Amino acid sequence: MSNIIESATIEDVALYLQREEGLDASSARTQAQVVIDSFTDMQDKGLIKGWYFDEQSHLELLPSDNALKIIANQK
């Protein structure tokens, strides 16, 4: 995917939350851990392949092939 410019680490997500939500560093780190844990859970369930920041610095999920098939079948 050409629009992926970097993977999102917990530190990246914390900085994103500080910038977008106005959280202090400690709160942002705590919330980033919750976000990453949720993403990992979705990945373990086969719903996503991963997560990343796009070219506009938006946090995005990369759906799994199975999730894409389910979405296509619902249309």
Side-chain angles (χ1 to χ4, degrees):
M1 297 187 69
S2 63
N3 64 336
I4 298 176
I5 58 172
E6 64 180 277
S7 297
T9 66
I10 191 167
E11 292 80 13
D12 296 330
V13 174
L15 288 172
Y16 175 81
L17 291 171
Q18 281 182 275
R19 184 183 74 235
E20 296 297 319
E21 302 295 327
L23 300 176
D24 62 72
S26 178
S27 296
R29 173 88 171 150
T30 300
Q31 289 302 312
Q33 186 63 60
V34 171
V35 169
I36 296 294
D37 289 347
S38 296
F39 289 171
T40 301
D41 185 51
M42 287 189 280
Q43 191 174 37
D44 291 345
K45 291 177 180 175
L47 299 173
I48 63 172
K49 293 179 187 178
W51 51 93
Y52 62 94
F53 284 103
D54 67 12
E55 292 169 343
Q56 290 79 39
S57 298
H58 298 134
L59 189 55
E60 298 288 338
L61 300 176
L62 184 61
S64 68
D65 294 338
N66 287 338
L68 291 174
K69 288 177 188 174
I70 291 169
I71 292 166
N73 288 336
Q74 291 180 352
K75 289 184 177 182

